[in-house]
Each structure stands twice: as structure tokens, then as C-alpha cells.
Amino acid sequence: MQKHYPLSVLMLSLTAALSSCGADQTLPKGADTSLTSKQLTATDAVQFVEQAQQEIETLMTPSAQAAWAYQTYINQDTAALSAYMNEKLGSLSTKLAKQAADFNHVEVDADTRRKLDLMRNSLVLPAPADPTKSQKLSQITSDLEGMYGSGKYCRDSEQCMGLTQMSAIMATSRDEAELLELWEGWREVSPPMKPLYEEEVVLANEGAKELGFEDISALWRGSYDMPADDFSMELDRLWGQVKPFYDALHCHVRAELGEEYGEGKVPQDKPIPAHLLGNMWAQSWGNIYDIVKPEQKLEVIDVTAALAKHNYDEVTMVKQAESFFSSLGFEPLPDTFWERSQFTKPADRDVICHASAWNLNDIDDLRIKMCIQKTGEEFAVIHHELGHNYYQRAYNTQPLLYRGSANDGFHEAIGDTIALSITPKYLKEIGLVDTVPDASNDIGMLLKLALDKIAFVPFGLMVDQWRWKVFSGEVTPENYNTAWWELREKYQGVMAPVERPADAFDPGAKYHVPGNTPYTRYFLAHILQFQFHKTLCEISGNTDPVHRCSIYGSKEAGAALNAMLEMGKSHTWQEALASLTGKGEMDASAILDYFAPLKVWLDEQNKDRSCGWTN
């Protein structure tokens, strides 16, 4: 899910290599390092913002180039160069955030205040000013990532498995004992992380206080153009809109799993055991579609076969995705995109294949990095990645600090919004298929999508709910694991399949926790993409049910979308959202509209079942 956004934004969120703010810091010309915030002036603030943007600009492109070189040609030299530039960026972002905090109590114009706040809120884990503590935090963040990345489960001295291999088995195995073994095995990786994580929380909270925040929780929640506590309530409101539909999906899935494994393994009045949902973290359930799918035979388009039939190679797939955006009125991608992108895995070197979208110079050096497989799933991913590229280009004329998405959920949501338009109707319009299956076949498609997207929503919410409680001190180290499972049961209706050991640190088995990557962005993206899709379909004049709508070919929808994308971060996300949808409030009811036929079907399946769970 993670993507590479414009480096002006990326560098401000780096957590690696946070170094102390020492004598090398530079304040605006004429400002003295001994000045307090009371002595600083609005003129100083404007000068500081301009100088900060110039400093960022100096490092931005070479840093992006180093990162690209490493990810597309992994060796000792590119790794060292990338690490060096990351350290430079981490040091700069720390310096700028802390200097921006010096202006917390200086009265400045709204534009300058927004830019100062963007810098102050940019650090995920701000380092304390004390050089020893700063270095310690940097070491811990590096160690935690390394512990996760090198994690493996060994059945014996001869047979060890990494996460990729274990996840592949979790996706396809229907052997409950094997699933439990792997589920428990991966969670042996994380207990050694716990003391480091405890120390990291203490150090990062100290850094947050130096920036003027109560703790890291207040910093993270305060990055959304509204008071931190109000943002928490907003998330609960959105979840309340989705929960009835999620509960219906949960009820059906639990009943079908009970038939598959027996109600002794899947009690029908309790949360679902986490190892049976086809995913190491039970965050998306699409891999168990074969267990929970409708009984009737459904006509499903095989996009992979259609691509092969029409001789699509990797570049043709990308060209077709580009034509989707061209049909909306967007300018073609630059020639350099085709010259510099990585579309396939090179045969002669190691690369990072995880799909990502890049704008290396923050202007028009757009690229995607993929190891494209000629499948229907990858066809959708390509459309998604190009969504990021067109967003990056749309805001490239904004001041440097405004080159980014309106909030961190928007970038992911835009990519996913485009992917929602890859409907049978679109596939027919571009000549990949000859006919569109009738509406009686929609339930299967909607169920599979819901297993991935709706099943994810409460997980997307609870990860940071747990972290915020940890950061604020509400959850103490001895209760880390207990609180984790309390939240998973409350929101997801998913439980640990066995009693957890006293030293368990199950949150650490999910990359984003030891990797210190905020997770609420993914929850927001799952809400926003359906709101965007519904609005764009209405603008396009669509008359089909919204789940059958594709905005392909609609210049009107393209113009409306581009107008929002061009704003970047120059306005609040509420203003950006209102520019497209007409209201500045996120609304999950669009999910209910999209999946309405599935909700009717689920209610029919569940009519004689006992739904819900007790924690």
C-alpha cells in the first residue's frame, strides 16, 4: 500500500536517521539563535519558510535519485548512497520542524502559518534535542525495521520460512493446524521488539513535547486540519456508518467458516479466530472467497485471459492505463516516463518489486516501479499507480510545501478511485471483452471486493487507535498485547486463536508498527475512494448502478477531478473535498450505495443466523 510521493513531502515524513539539532542550524537572515519565540517576528517567519523551501529543494532531487537507484539496482553502493541521503533528509526535517516550532506563538498570516504547521507536523517520530537521545532513537528505529525485515519462522534447523512464503501458504491452505502453526510462528519474531518499542515511545514523546505537542498521539492526530480530539471523533463517526454493513459481512463469513472448519473451531457467538481469514493479520479476507462465495454459478470475466488473448505485454498494459486518463482529458505522460520507469523485473540484478509511483524532481520526472505480471490484478494496480502520477503532476506548480495530497488518505484514495472504474463496461469499451455479464452476476464481484476493502476498514482504524493509546500513556507496556486484542475484538470481531504468552508483542508482527508508519491514512482512503467514485460517476452522467459505473471517457469528470488534484496541500482537506463533492465532510454512505445489492444478499443469507459477538 505504501507509495513514493513527491520527495518534498516524503522527506518531511522520514523517521530514519533522526539527528540532533546542533550548531549547524540556520535561522532566517538577521535572526539570532538565542531569540525566543516572543522576540521572533512575522517577517522572520516568512523568511524562514522561504529559506526552508530552498533547503528542501537542494536535497530533493538527488535524494530521490539515490532512492530510485537503490530500489531498482540493489547493491552495496546504492544502499550506502541511499542511506546517506536518508540521513541528510532526516537531519534536515528534524531541524526544520524544530525551527518551525519556534514560531508557535508568533502572529503570522494564514499561508505562512499553514506552511509552518506542515513542517512542524511533518515528523513521524521527532528526535529529542539531546544528541545522545537523538542517536539512540535513530538506532532503535533502524533496529526495529531490521528485526522485522529479517524475521523468519523455523520449523527445524533445516526448514525456515520468511513472511512472503508464510503469507502464500496462509492464503491458500485450508489445513487449520498448519494455519495456526504459521500464525503463531510469525509472532515469535516480535517479542524481542517490545523493550525497544517501549524506549522508542519514551524518546519520541520527549521530541514531540519539544515541538509543542502533548505526545506523539497529539502530533499524529493534529495533522488533519482539525483539533486532534475532533479528528478522533470523526473517525468514530465514519466507522459508525460502515459498521452495520461490516457486521453483515462478518456474520456470513463466520457462518461459512464454521461450516468449513466446524463450530468447535469457529464458535458462532464469538469473534472469528484470526488465523482462518486467509491473511497473516486478518486485515483482508479476499483469499477465502472460495469458502464464502455464493452457491450459484456466476459468469466472471477473466481479465488475465483477455489480456493474453489480445497480446497485451507489460508496456501495452501501461499504455492502456494511460489512455484511461487521456480519455478524461489529462495530458499524456512525458517521454521520460517511458524511458525511465521500471515495468518488468530485470534479469541481471535485484530490485524492489513492490509497486510504487514516483516524481523524482517534483515537476514532471514521473515514473512507476513495478515488476508487472500479465494478470487482471496487475492491470488494476497499474491504473492505481498512474493515479498517483497524475496527482503528483497536477500539483507540481504549487509552492514546494504544498506539493502533496490534501491529507495522507487522499493519495491512496485517488489511485483506488481510478481502479474502481475498471468495470466490465470499461473492459468492453477498450475491446478486451465482447460482452458485459448481466447484473445477476454482480454479487460475486461485490462480495470479493468487500472481502478485501470492507473487511479492511476496522483494521485500518484500530492500528492507530492502539498506538495513540500507547503514545498517550493510556496503555502501558505491560498491557500492550492485551489492549491490542481488546481493540481487534471490539472493531473487527477477530480474536487470537490461542491464549497469548505473557511476553507476546503481537502488534510488532505487523510491519507498520515497528516500521513506524501511520496507518489511519489507509482507513481514510477506503472511505474516500467510494465518495470520490460516486461523485465522479454523477458528474459523468452515469445512469448505471454506481458499482457498474466507469468514468472512462468523461471529460467532465476528469476536469472536476483535476481541479481538486491541482490544489495539493494548499487548502485544507475539507476545502479540497468540497471542491469535488460539494461538501467538506467525509461520508461513508457512498460505501453503502456501492454495495447495496450485496447487503440485500447478505441479509438474506443471515436471516436464520445468530450475528454479532461478545468480547
Side-chain angles (χ1 to χ4, degrees), residues 68 71-72 340-344 346 351-352 368-371:
W68 177 266
Q71 295 209 16
T72 59
R340 299 171 183 174
S341 288
Q342 174 188 293
F343 300 129
T344 57
V351 301
I352 294 176
I368 61 170
K369 177 186 61 60
M370 293 182 67
C371 300

Side-chain angles (χ1 to χ4, degrees), residues 99-271:
Q99 290 180 348
D102 290 339
F103 296 93
N104 283 353
H105 303 293
V106 178
E107 190 171 327
V108 296
D109 64 271
D111 180 67
T112 301
R113 174 54 58 198
R114 181 164 183 80
K115 289 172 178 170
L116 289 167
D117 286 345
L118 286 172
M119 282 188 277
R120 193 170 69 102
N121 282 279
S122 66
L123 296 178
V124 176
L125 291 182
D130 182 308
T132 303
K133 292 179 178 179
S134 175
Q135 182 57 41
K136 181 65 174 176
L137 179 60
S138 177
Q139 187 62 52
I140 289 173
T141 58
S142 177
D143 289 348
L144 285 172
E145 287 227 36
M147 292 165 77
Y148 187 93
S150 61
K152 56 174 65 75
Y153 164 62
C154 297
R155 283 176 162 156
D156 52 48
S157 60
E158 301 292 324
Q159 188 180 9
C160 292
M161 291 182 282
L163 179 59
T164 301
Q165 184 180 356
M166 296 169 75
S167 293
I169 298 171
M170 293 283 289
T172 56
S173 174
R174 299 298 178 252
D175 180 336
E176 189 272 338
E178 181 179 41
L179 293 170
L180 181 59
E181 177 198 357
L182 295 181
W183 188 92
E184 289 187 281
W186 178 245
R187 281 153 185 79
E188 293 174 6
V189 168
S190 49
M193 299 177 186
K194 186 182 176 186
L196 290 177
Y197 194 79
E198 291 178 38
E199 190 173 2
E200 179 182 72
V201 169
V202 172
L203 292 170
N205 271 338
E206 186 175 328
K209 286 183 172 68
E210 291 174 10
L211 290 175
F213 297 97
E214 280 188 44
D215 50 46
I216 296 292
S217 167
L219 189 160
W220 285 20
R221 290 181 296 124
S223 302
Y224 290 94
D225 297 315
M226 60 199 305
D229 291 341
D230 290 358
F231 180 64
S232 298
M233 290 188 289
E234 175 71 355
L235 298 181
D236 286 336
R237 180 186 68 80
L238 292 167
W239 168 235
Q241 289 184 284
V242 181
K243 189 176 187 302
F245 177 46
Y246 176 82
D247 288 347
L249 180 67
H250 180 282
C251 187
H252 174 67
V253 167
R254 184 177 63 187
E256 296 297 324
L257 288 173
E259 289 191 20
E260 177 78 13
Y261 295 105
E263 294 188 7
K265 297 291 184 185
V266 189
Q268 294 300 294
D269 60 346
K270 294 187 181 300

Side-chain angles (χ1 to χ4, degrees), residues 455-514:
F456 176 84
V457 169
F459 184 80
L461 178 63
M462 63 77 48
V463 172
D464 279 352
Q465 296 280 351
W466 176 83
R467 274 195 288 209
W468 295 342
K469 292 175 185 290
V470 168
F471 293 150
S472 70
E474 181 182 340
V475 169
T476 52
E478 63 271 19
N479 295 315
Y480 277 179
N481 218 54
T482 302
W484 175 259
W485 285 107
E486 286 175 353
L487 287 168
R488 296 205 66 178
E489 291 186 15
K490 172 185 175 181
Y491 286 105
Q492 283 186 283
V494 167
M495 65 180 180
V498 291
E499 186 172 347
R500 303 304 294 137
D503 69 340
F505 182 51
D506 295 334
K510 175 63 181 171
Y511 166 75
H512 298 73
V513 174

Side-chain angles (χ1 to χ4, degrees), residues 261-308:
Y261 295 105
E263 294 188 7
K265 297 291 184 185
V266 189
Q268 294 300 294
D269 60 346
K270 294 187 181 300
I272 300 171
H275 65 311
L276 300 178
L277 289 158
N279 175 271
M280 184 60 82
W281 308 278
Q283 68 181 55
S284 57
W285 306 346
N287 289 323
I288 61 164
Y289 175 76
D290 60 299
I291 297 176
V292 306
K293 67 182 180 181
E295 292 180 2
Q296 69 264 36
K297 183 172 175 55
L298 298 171
E299 181 186 351
V300 179
I301 293 175
D302 186 339
V303 180
T304 301
L307 292 168

